[in-house]
Amino acid sequence: EEQLYKRLLNVTNNKIHNADGIDDMKKRLRLIEGEIQAGNDSKSLLAEAKEILNSFASYGRITRKESGRFYRQLQSQLDEKK
């Protein structure tokens, strides 16, 4: 979880701030990455991560480009597990 948070902050250049719901979404995103790292290759996890990242972008916490970059990192992790 800590690794994901650090990576997310790195990808977003520390633009994520605490706000209602943001902490819960960050926790869920960390959990999703952990699931993928543990070998869960469910496409629904990737879809949920994309939804969360799009929400971050919509809230102005990260850019669309940063959202896409992080999504591709998760997708790459999922592909490596296959």
Side-chain angles (χ1 to χ4, degrees), residues 18 25 29 31 33 36:
N18 291 331
M25 287 190 293
L29 193 56
L31 181 63
E33 185 179 42
I36 291 171

Side-chain angles (χ1 to χ4, degrees), residues 14-30:
N14 296 310
K15 291 181 185 174
I16 294 180
H17 304 286
N18 291 331
D20 292 339
I22 297 293
D23 284 339
D24 290 338
M25 287 190 293
K26 287 191 302 190
K27 288 176 187 176
R28 181 63 187 156
L29 193 56
R30 288 184 205 128

